[in-house]
Amino acid sequence: MALHQNASGSARPEPPNRRTVLAALGAGAALPLVAAGPAAAAGARPAPRTAADVIVSPAAERQLIRGFGGMNHTVWISDLTPEQRNTAFGNGEGQLGFTVLRIPVHEDRANWSREVATARRAIELGATVIASPWNPPAHMTETFVRGNQTNARRLRHDMYGAYAQHLNDFHQFMRNNGVELYAISVQNEPDYAHDWTWWTSGEMVRFLRENAGSIGTRVIAPESFQYVKSFSDPILNDAQALANTDILGAHLYGTQFQNFPYPLFRQRGAGKELWMTEVYYPNSSDSADLWPQALDVGEHVHRSLVDAEFQAYVWWYIRRGYGPMRENGTISKRGAGMAHFSKWVRPGHRRIEATAQPAPNVYTSAYKGDGSRLVVVAVNKGDAAVSQRFVLENTTRSSVLSWVTDAGRTLAAQPGPGLSGGSFTAVLPGRSITTYLLQ
């Protein structure tokens, strides 16, 4: 990883710069913002434009939602403070409501204890913890020539069994310290490993087929950096490798929206989970409070859930100037974009069928929880307000609560629109994200 200066001036490893470029490419797949028109006459406000109805069908269930969250890596940046842990994983006012924490499997066991405190607190607050390795212990690796890279690193083929035991040892260590891992990954970004350990898809399949069955928790693979299907296809096409894989994990750096769907997973992934385990979006160079650019996060989460049908959405660093939590420990605008999902779409909710794009620049999705709980999230990336009608099929719900984030408000509670005859109409402010809770 390239070294950059952090806020305190000390050098810290950061994600490779290529991600800024790749993420910008991914942003290019988004629909452009509607250009602002001529200024309205003084004192006059243009009437909201009307979109097609959003039809919400609670009976048409889609994927089970596992949660939303981010990464904590205490060797590369400082650990979250106790207060910041509460902000990340609590679900009160001014908190993100995250329900997934990702931590590293350090190659040096002396560093394992550094990840315990935040992971333990996350679990106390109801979160799921997953772990990913960047490198095996040094004695398990060898160098080789890969293109122009003369010191590329890979796991020695005679060390596959020992490496599986290394992952098991981390799982047991965390368990002994009050952290039950939900899953552990074979390798972080094996197909973009200039600064860590390379794997070919064939090596990944071999490890999954011959060694992953001995790992005592769920197994994540392959965590391709750009959701490269040619890397994960061989897993889906190998019965034994697939049997030993519990979660197909992917990163979305620069992945075009049209490449979000995965038909082969739909065909062969029955009984497996599909998680997006790392991204920042649209880049790591801008402040997380730059508006309306931060609104891109809302669309990115929407497309990850609706187009890709991921069950989890996990950011890179939880606390960073470009992340969901500012360095001072408060929620950023990008964080609010995630929180409009994470605070109300909780683990165990199911996405349900809803009109995904009722108008240009408007994106809507819906989810249901226990009982009569229903959540609708609407993103309006256009600069004009939209009058949006939501029609709920076969509903007995009677009240609507809502929260909005736009240029001047962040997760602000609003008077809920009236619900009558199974429908309600709400004005989506220009360049905003709104969550509606019906129960």
Side-chain angles (χ1 to χ4, degrees):
M1 284 190 170
L3 289 177
H4 299 280
Q5 296 296 316
N6 71 355
S8 64
S10 60
R12 299 283 188 182
E14 288 280 8
N17 285 335
R18 51 91 187 174
R19 289 185 178 164
T20 300
V21 177
L22 291 173
L25 290 175
L31 292 173
L33 291 175
V34 175
R45 288 190 177 185
R49 59 189 176 93
T50 302
D53 288 351
V54 171
I55 309 300
V56 179
S57 305
E61 295 184 348
R62 299 297 181 248
Q63 77 268 31
L64 180 71
I65 301 300
R66 291 298 187 188
F68 307 84
M71 182 83 190
N72 194 49
H73 197 308
T74 63
V75 171
W76 290 343
I77 65 172
S78 59
D79 196 3
L80 298 178
T81 68
E83 183 179 359
Q84 289 166 357
R85 294 166 193 155
N86 292 338
T87 299
F89 300 102
N91 200 23
E93 185 175 354
Q95 297 177 327
L96 284 163
F98 280 178
T99 50
V100 178
L101 169 65
R102 183 172 179 242
I103 60 174
V105 182
H106 299 293
E107 59 226 69
D108 183 352
R109 295 180 182 223
N111 288 324
W112 286 2
S113 60
R114 299 173 63 134
E115 307 302 332
V116 169
T118 291
R120 185 185 293 154
R121 181 57 178 155
I123 284 180
E124 290 172 353
L125 292 170
T128 292
V129 180
I130 62 172
S132 297
W134 270 248
N135 293 301
H139 73 276
M140 297 183 188
T141 66
E142 63 185 2
T143 58
F144 69 107
V145 176
R146 187 184 187 278
N148 294 327
Q149 188 179 0
T150 59
N151 62 342
R153 183 187 312 178
R154 68 186 172 202
L155 179 66
R156 285 168 44 190
H157 291 174
D158 63 343
M159 285 287 178
Y160 279 25
Y163 183 57
Q165 186 58 54
H166 172 73
L167 299 180
N168 255 333
D169 289 348
F170 182 79
H171 168 235
Q172 190 60 52
F173 174 86
M174 297 304 289
R175 171 182 281 176
N176 292 344
N177 285 275
V179 178
E180 185 64 43
L181 293 179
Y182 184 80
I184 197 165
S185 174
V186 175
Q187 171 66 46
N188 171 77
E189 297 185 349
D191 53 343
Y192 196 91
H194 301 280
D195 297 301
W196 42 86
T197 301
W198 292 98
W199 293 62
T200 66
S201 59
E203 290 168 337
M204 183 70 67
V205 166
R206 176 186 166 185
F207 180 85
L208 291 168
R209 188 172 55 229
E210 299 178 4
N211 303 97
S214 67
I215 296 173
T217 187
R218 295 173 188 85
V219 174
I220 303 171
E223 290 201 284
S224 165
F225 88 104
Q226 204 175 10
Y227 203 10
V228 176
K229 309 299 195 302
S230 61
F231 202 96
S232 50
D233 283 353
I235 298 171
L236 294 169
N237 288 323
D238 186 291
Q240 189 57 52
L242 182 59
N244 290 337
T245 305
D246 301 282
I247 300 172
L248 194 147
H251 299 179
L252 292 179
Y253 291 107
T255 310
Q256 302 290 311
F257 290 144
Q258 64 264 29
N259 293 328
F260 274 28
Y262 198 176
L264 186 62
F265 182 84
R266 292 176 181 173
Q267 295 170 15
R268 305 203 172 171
K272 307 301 178 180
E273 298 186 28
L274 184 63
W275 286 40
M276 197 290 292
T277 54
E278 185 189 314
V279 79
Y280 52 72
Y281 189 84
N283 55 47
S284 63
S285 55
D286 290 339
S287 163
D289 292 308
L290 190 63
W291 195 265
Q293 287 83 345
L295 189 56
D296 289 347
V297 173
E299 182 192 356
H300 199 254
V301 178
H302 165 91
R303 289 183 178 270
S304 296
L305 300 177
V306 175
D307 298 351
E309 299 185 278
F310 285 117
Q311 297 174 256
Y313 185 98
V314 184
W315 194 268
W316 179 228
Y317 289 135
I318 294 173
R319 186 198 66 233
R320 216 60 179 157
Y322 54 84
M325 183 188 294
R326 305 180 184 100
E327 291 288 359
N328 66 6
T330 58
I331 295 176
S332 69
K333 287 290 193 181
R334 287 184 180 181
M338 288 186 67
H340 272 277
F341 294 88
S342 60
K343 289 179 71 65
W344 291 281
V345 182
R346 306 297 289 172
H349 280 51
R350 281 194 176 273
R351 187 174 71 84
I352 57 177
E353 192 63 32
T355 306
Q357 193 173 359
N361 298 308
V362 177
Y363 306 91
T364 56
S365 58
Y367 312 83
K368 72 175 183 181
D370 294 335
S372 62
R373 181 182 175 91
L374 190 68
V375 180
V376 177
V377 184
V379 179
N380 178 12
K381 291 187 69 180
D383 64 344
V386 172
S387 177
Q388 183 63 65
R389 184 170 181 253
F390 297 87
V391 180
L392 315 175
E393 294 181 344
N394 302 317
T395 184
T396 59
R397 295 157 185 85
S398 59
S399 64
V400 184
L401 303 174
S402 70
W403 295 262
V404 67
T405 296
D406 57 14
R409 296 171 290 186
T410 302
L411 296 166
Q414 302 296 299
L419 181 61
S420 176
S423 69
F424 68 94
T425 299
V427 174
L428 310 178
R431 295 177 173 175
S432 70
I433 179 170
T434 308
T435 298
Y436 301 97
L437 175 61
L438 299 89
Q439 56 189 2

